[in-house]
Amino acid sequence: MPHDIRLVTEEELRRVVQLGLEIIDCIESAFSALATRDVVMPPVLSMALPNVNAEVDVKTAYVPGLDGFAIKVSPGFFNNPSLGLPSLNGLMVLLSAQTGQVQAVFLDNGYLTDIRTAAAGAVVARHLAPETVTTMGVLGTGVQARLQVIAAAKVRPVEKVLVWGRSREKADLLATELRTTLGVEVQAVPDRHELVAACQLVVTTTPARDAILDAGCLHPGLHITAMGSDQEDKNELSPRILAQADVLVCDRISQCASLGELRTALENGLMTRTEKAVELGAVIAGTAAGRTHVDQITVCDLTGTGVQDTAIATLTLGRVVKAQAGTTLTT
């Protein structure tokens, strides 16, 4: 029996999906479902390819109640810019949760992943950052650094943003772009620890393999979201930061223990078990405590989950159909 498959390019997806509160709420609901419903989410299939300076991740999740589930393939080939090609590409396939038939193929080249990752950062800021954030800081100068600031500002309006990057030129460029986008003061700064000292909310977005922040930068009322570590050899935060945090939240504890900042803390012996950590979905659902006092130091370890991919792919199909975007293939 023939059925239709919607094939959608990155250009078409960018027209119908932009970072906003609806997507942030969608990702928040997905994390809540992960804590409260019988979500099936297998471990990430993660493949490092050091010989070609590349990595490939495959993520998926089945969420009861949603019409479909996504399988996302996310390759990063980091020598590509020297060939005139983007580093990140990939796609999402949305399948029917009832029949397993392919409903849509989103040739997004990582765009939907970027959006859902930024939305997760906003969800974290909504539940863990202090109610009042006058100054936000971001470490990193790439696409995710820009999107994390834009997303967080939608739930925690800020007066000032500080940017740090290994390249001062790139930090200045990002600061200029964010100044135009947000309409607030944005400044590139040379010292990352001074950045943290001046902020209530900090997001780290780098592919660092050695910690770029140590515990000496911690101060009352600080929240840090670390989202750069999603492979076994990455690490942005000193393990002492996790050990000294009043509240430690993971998007998925088991995943963070193998791929995230939590892994480094466990390997270094500064944390001997994962009981201190709670999951973001549980905080959202109210079954675990997040920030309960303005002076607490809170940390969130984000590694990226399949439930986010299924959530944004489902929302995207609805928007695509409504906008009559993409190409319909009948098989």
Side-chain angles (χ1 to χ4, degrees):
M1 183 176 183
H3 80 283
D4 293 339
I5 300 173
R6 190 77 63 140
L7 182 66
V8 194
T9 66
E10 179 187 355
E11 182 180 358
E12 292 167 318
L13 289 166
R14 286 181 179 271
R15 286 201 295 266
V16 299
V17 177
Q18 294 91 32
L19 183 57
L21 287 175
E22 183 183 2
I23 289 177
I24 292 169
D25 291 343
C26 171
I27 297 303
E28 181 175 271
S29 295
F31 279 117
S32 180
L34 188 58
T36 60
R37 302 167 72 177
D38 294 327
V39 171
V40 180
M41 191 173 76
V44 178
L45 190 163
S46 186
M47 181 169 64
L49 304 173
N51 289 345
V52 288
N53 190 23
E55 61 190 45
V56 182
D57 288 338
V58 180
K59 297 179 180 180
T60 186
Y62 165 83
V63 182
L66 295 187
D67 293 335
F69 64 96
I71 298 175
K72 191 267 293 290
V73 182
S74 181
F77 279 65
F78 304 111
N79 294 335
N80 278 2
S82 66
L83 305 173
L85 299 172
S87 295
L88 303 178
N89 49 83
L91 54 85
M92 289 189 187
V93 180
L94 185 65
L95 301 95
S96 167
Q98 301 300 317
T99 67
Q101 290 183 307
V102 176
Q103 296 178 317
V105 179
F106 300 133
L107 302 171
D108 71 319
N109 293 314
Y111 174 68
L112 293 179
T113 295
D114 284 339
I115 295 296
R116 64 79 151 150
T117 302
V123 171
V124 173
R126 179 184 274 169
H127 289 274
L128 291 175
E131 286 290 334
T132 300
V133 175
T134 57
T135 306
M136 175 184 178
V138 62
L139 279 69
T141 58
V143 171
Q144 200 52 228
R146 175 175 62 85
L147 290 176
Q148 285 287 338
V149 173
I150 292 170
K154 293 182 183 296
V155 299
R156 287 292 188 273
V158 297
E159 299 175 4
K160 185 176 182 179
V161 177
L162 302 179
V163 179
W164 173 87
R166 286 190 171 91
S167 164
R168 182 58 188 262
E169 180 182 2
K170 290 181 179 179
D172 285 334
L173 287 172
L174 178 58
T176 299
E177 182 179 355
L178 288 172
R179 194 177 302 120
T180 301
T181 301
L182 298 177
V184 301
E185 181 183 354
V186 185
Q187 180 182 350
V189 297
D191 189 302
R192 55 191 183 270
H193 290 94
E194 288 184 7
L195 176 151
V196 177
C199 294
Q200 298 84 46
L201 168 60
V202 173
V203 183
T204 61
T205 68
T206 75
R209 282 165 169 74
D210 295 301
I212 57 174
L213 289 181
D214 60 50
C217 69
L218 298 178
H219 59 85
L222 173 66
H223 171 73
I224 299 175
T225 296
M227 50 75 56
S229 179
D230 57 0
Q231 292 277 333
E232 293 178 353
D233 60 346
K234 293 183 181 180
N235 173 221
E236 293 187 293
L237 305 183
S238 162
R240 294 188 183 278
I241 290 179
L242 276 68
Q244 293 182 26
D246 297 305
V247 180
L248 173 60
V249 177
C250 298
D251 53 6
R252 189 66 157 178
I253 291 174
S254 58
Q255 192 167 295
C256 291
S258 60
L259 302 176
E261 301 295 335
L262 180 58
R263 171 191 59 81
T264 308
L266 293 170
E267 288 179 351
N268 279 267
L270 289 177
M271 294 178 60
T272 57
R273 57 192 187 281
T274 61
E275 280 86 345
K276 176 179 180 178
V278 298
E279 293 198 345
L280 178 58
V283 173
I284 294 167
T287 58
R291 176 179 292 274
T292 58
H293 192 276
V294 67
D295 286 337
Q296 284 181 314
I297 296 170
T298 57
V299 174
C300 185
D301 187 2
L302 293 181
T303 52
T305 61
V307 73
Q308 295 167 250
D309 297 314
T310 286
I312 197 168
T314 302
L315 179 148
T316 296
L317 181 59
R319 290 192 178 185
V320 163
V321 170
K322 183 176 181 180
Q324 297 184 329
T327 302
T328 300
L329 306 177
T330 301
T331 62

